[in-house]
């Protein structure tokens, strides 16, 4: 059966072995792709310069250089072309190096034709997804998770930009950040910005699974594998097949499980407890932790080989106290969600409460902000939420926030800075600035008028 992609797409195959080139070309042509061939770095550059390549597959060992040169050149000169690499079967480190250089995925020798077809499909999804990725306001389904990562600060803007770039790669991503910063939200946004968006996103808290159950949770088990196993059960890897497996608090994995996880990632196959054969899986791994994995490696509490396999592309989520200009926007959005959950209708923060929040230390980050708003929504009695409604039980105002001398001036200055930053990022387009802030155009226009910024 022909696995046609029905697209007028040209793929570039770079390999100096004629037999490999022939196999790759036959497979891709059987998918109705046009194919160009190159046997060296120089020939590949000439083909790329013609400007009609939409996908590149290159061997890493070439007679006049390395395939990594091609990967790097495509990244710098042709960033819209997805590039994958061909590696020796056991060269996991080389594959990691290629993905760090910009390759979105790899295929091992000897070539698995089914794996090659899957890789080609992903490449073409990436090539076709670029225009949609540039039109965030028109593609809500692809960006609904990224849209919840609110703020206008340079720090969170960089995170959103990284999310879009990482969506085009299949490389493992390791997310670091303090508890409550939204690491799972970032992982979900990366998944949603990728060709895997229609496949499952499976999150798992590695520290919440009892050690005696962790292998069966990850890899599944066969009927009769142990007492109580009355039927076969698929594990997390199989559940995430075709999509993304998010390993939250990955530092909490016991060492014996780290060995098995490393093998599953490298071999792209898992063996259920009690099974006699492995099952191939296609899963992208995104991991996260609030701990310092490099330090744990130095302390022999985390395997170095697994660390390098997970930490191919690092991404850091900033704490809330380092982006205080984002607090008013985040608080307003969270308050709307709290009101909906509690069925309270419209809720509002008083100017004093908003100023109080912008000076609060937020050790627990966005999660703590949401908890404060949940509590305040349940307890407030006036027309709006005031600072004393937000204050955690058993604390004084001096212990939590430094109240500004002139609340109105502080609020106005903060709001002006936020609006100006949004307008600058939107090149002066007010509707786009309102979208970036996550508020309606009517609300944005009202704020401009109130602050005499029209």
């Amino acid at each position: 059966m022909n696995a046609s992609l029905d697209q007028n797409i040209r793929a570039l195959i770079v390999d100096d072995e004629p037999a490999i080139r022939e196999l790759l070309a036959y497979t891709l042509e059987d998918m109705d792709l046009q194919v160009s061939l190159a046997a060296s770095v120089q020939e590949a550059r000439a083909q790329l310069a013609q400007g009609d390549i939409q996908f590149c597959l290159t061997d890493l060992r070439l007679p006049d250089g390395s395939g990594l040169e091609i990967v790097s050149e495509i990244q710098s000169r042709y960033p819209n072309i997805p590039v994958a690499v061909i590696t020796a079967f056991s060269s996991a480190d080389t594959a990691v190096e290629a993905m760090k250089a910009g390759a979105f995925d790899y295929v091992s020798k000897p070539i698995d034709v089914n794996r090659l077809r899957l890789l080609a499909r992903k490449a073409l999804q990436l090539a076709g997804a670029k225009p949609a990725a540039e039109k965030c306001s028109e593609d809500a389904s692809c960006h609904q998770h990224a849209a919840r990562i609110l703020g206008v600060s340079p720090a969170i803007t960089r995170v959103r930009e990284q999310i879009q770039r990482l969506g085009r790669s299949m490389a493992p991503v390791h997310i670091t950040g303090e508890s409550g910063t939204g690491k799972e939200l970032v992982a979900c946004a990366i998944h949603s910005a990728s060709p895997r968006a229609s496949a499952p996103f499976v999150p798992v808290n590695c520290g919440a699974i009892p050690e005696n159950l962790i292998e069966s949770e990850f890899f599944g088990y066969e009927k009769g594998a142990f007492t109580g196993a009355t039927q076969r059960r698929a594990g997390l890897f199989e559940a995430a097949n075709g999509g993304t497996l998010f390993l939250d608090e990955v530092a909490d994995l016991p060492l014996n499980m780290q060995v098995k996880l490393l093998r599953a990632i490298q071999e792209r196959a898992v063996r259920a407890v009690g099974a006699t054969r492995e099952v191939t899986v296609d899963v992208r791994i995104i991991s996260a932790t609030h701990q310092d994995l490099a330090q744990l490696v130095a302390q022999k509490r985390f395997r170095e080989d697994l660390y390098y396999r997970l930490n191919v592309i690092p991404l850091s989520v900033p704490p809330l106290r380092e982006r205080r200009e984002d607090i008013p926007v985040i608080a307003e959005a969270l308050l709307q969600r709290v009101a909906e959950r509690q069925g309270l209708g419209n809720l509002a923060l008083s100017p004093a409460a908003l100023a109080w929040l912008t000076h609060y230390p937020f050790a627990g980050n966005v999660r703590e902000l949401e908890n404060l708003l949940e509590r305040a929504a349940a307890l407030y009695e006036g027309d709006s939420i005031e600072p004393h409604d937000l204050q955690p039980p058993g604390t004084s105002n001096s212990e939590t926030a430094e109240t500004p001398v002139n609340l109105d001036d502080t609020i106005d200055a903060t709001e002006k800075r936020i609006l100006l930053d949004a307008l600058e990022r939107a090149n002066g387009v007010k509707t786009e600035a309102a979208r970036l802030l996550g508020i309606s155009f009517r609300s944005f226009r009202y704020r401009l008028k109130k602050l005499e910024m029209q």
Side-chain angles (χ1 to χ4, degrees):
M1 182 178 177
N2 191 310
S4 171
L5 287 162
D6 295 326
Q7 294 192 46
N8 186 23
I9 298 291
R10 180 174 295 278
L12 172 62
I13 296 172
V14 188
D15 199 299
D16 63 333
E17 297 182 49
I20 296 292
R21 284 202 308 270
E22 184 177 345
L23 170 64
L24 298 175
Y26 176 82
T27 303
L28 297 186
E29 286 171 351
D30 191 49
M31 300 171 73
D32 286 351
L33 296 181
Q34 299 178 44
V35 175
S36 294
L37 301 175
S40 65
V41 173
Q42 184 177 354
E43 289 180 17
R45 285 174 174 153
Q47 293 280 3
L48 288 165
Q50 294 180 10
D52 61 345
I53 302 297
Q54 286 81 35
F55 163 44
C56 178
L57 178 62
T58 179
D59 194 11
L60 287 176
R61 293 186 177 181
L62 297 167
D64 59 343
S66 167
L68 289 177
E69 296 177 49
I70 298 174
V71 174
S72 298
E73 185 158 338
I74 287 176
Q75 275 292 97
S76 61
R77 299 186 61 186
Y78 314 100
N80 291 341
I81 300 178
V83 55
V85 297
I86 306 167
T87 71
F89 182 73
S90 59
S91 302
D93 291 343
T94 310
V96 169
E97 186 180 356
M99 287 191 287
K100 284 184 175 179
F104 81 92
D105 210 343
Y106 69 95
V107 61
S108 299
K109 293 180 181 178
I111 304 294
D112 181 326
V113 172
N114 290 328
R115 164 82 183 137
L116 177 61
R117 288 194 181 104
L118 181 62
L119 183 145
R121 286 183 177 278
K122 288 179 185 172
L124 299 184
Q125 286 177 309
L126 284 171
K130 182 63 179 176
E134 292 174 341
K135 297 184 289 186
C136 301
S137 61
E138 297 178 20
D139 190 359
S141 62
C142 185
H143 297 273
Q144 58 183 333
H145 297 290
R148 288 177 57 194
I149 303 172
L150 301 173
V152 295
S153 65
I156 205 64
T157 299
R158 283 193 297 271
V159 169
R160 282 197 296 262
E161 291 170 350
Q162 284 180 287
I163 285 170
Q164 293 308 312
R165 286 198 299 271
L166 294 178
R168 291 178 52 80
S169 170
M170 296 298 110
V173 177
H174 181 62
I175 304 171
T176 57
E178 297 177 5
S179 295
T181 50
K183 295 186 290 295
E184 182 173 341
L185 193 64
V186 169
C188 196
I190 294 171
H191 170 79
S192 297
S194 78
R196 296 173 178 260
S198 60
F201 174 82
V202 178
V204 54
N205 187 323
C206 297
I209 306 174
E211 188 169 345
N212 62 327
L213 297 178
I214 198 164
E215 183 176 358
S216 60
E217 284 293 315
F218 271 84
F219 305 138
Y221 56 80
E222 296 292 329
K223 179 180 179 180
F226 48 81
T227 304
T230 57
Q231 59 183 5
R232 185 186 188 278
R233 179 183 172 186
L236 294 166
F237 268 85
E238 286 187 73
N241 196 21
T244 302
L245 180 60
F246 174 55
L247 306 176
D248 198 9
E249 298 304 341
V250 70
D252 292 337
L253 282 174
L255 285 169
N256 65 331
M257 186 59 198
Q258 292 178 27
V259 178
K260 296 171 182 176
L261 176 62
L262 176 64
R263 188 181 189 284
I265 294 172
Q266 290 186 167
E267 303 300 328
R268 305 192 187 201
V270 297
R271 178 177 295 176
V273 177
T276 57
R277 63 183 183 85
E278 292 185 330
V279 175
T280 301
V281 289
D282 170 37
V283 172
R284 184 186 191 180
I285 300 292
I286 300 179
S287 59
T289 183
H290 70 281
Q291 301 184 60
D292 186 338
L293 273 190
Q295 185 177 8
L296 295 180
V297 169
Q299 297 170 352
K300 307 297 184 184
R301 294 167 54 196
F302 198 86
R303 290 185 62 94
E304 186 176 22
D305 47 8
L306 179 58
Y307 168 71
Y308 287 117
R309 202 69 181 87
L310 295 175
N311 195 40
V312 174
I313 303 179
L315 190 159
S316 177
V317 183
L320 193 55
R321 62 182 173 277
E322 293 181 5
R323 51 187 189 105
R324 293 188 180 278
E325 60 266 49
D326 296 338
I327 291 175
V329 177
I330 297 171
E332 192 169 292
L334 288 176
L335 194 60
Q336 292 177 6
R337 286 166 53 189
V338 168
E340 289 174 7
R341 284 199 300 264
Q342 297 189 16
L344 296 175
N346 292 327
L347 279 181
L349 289 162
S350 72
L354 187 61
W356 188 92
L357 285 174
T358 60
H359 289 76
Y360 186 79
F362 285 114
N365 294 292
V366 178
R367 186 180 297 134
E368 183 177 7
L369 172 57
E370 186 165 11
N371 288 341
L372 288 177
L373 294 173
E374 287 268 14
R375 178 180 177 277
L379 298 177
Y380 89 107
E381 295 178 345
D383 295 330
S384 59
I385 293 174
E386 299 293 342
H388 65 269
D389 298 315
L390 293 161
Q391 191 170 315
T395 60
S396 66
N397 201 50
S398 61
E399 292 175 309
T400 56
E402 181 183 338
T403 306
V405 175
N406 190 317
L407 293 178
D408 289 339
D409 289 349
T410 300
I411 295 165
D412 287 351
T414 300
E415 195 167 0
K416 278 184 178 180
R417 184 169 66 251
I418 291 169
L419 296 175
L420 286 171
D421 286 345
L423 281 168
E424 184 177 349
R425 288 181 57 221
N427 296 320
V429 180
K430 295 177 182 177
T431 53
E432 175 67 5
R435 187 194 66 77
L436 290 172
L437 292 173
I439 61 177
S440 68
F441 175 63
R442 181 178 179 182
S443 175
F444 185 81
R445 189 170 54 185
Y446 166 77
R447 291 165 191 265
L448 292 177
K449 184 176 181 181
K450 180 187 75 170
L451 296 170
E452 299 180 349
M453 296 173 62
Q454 292 280 30

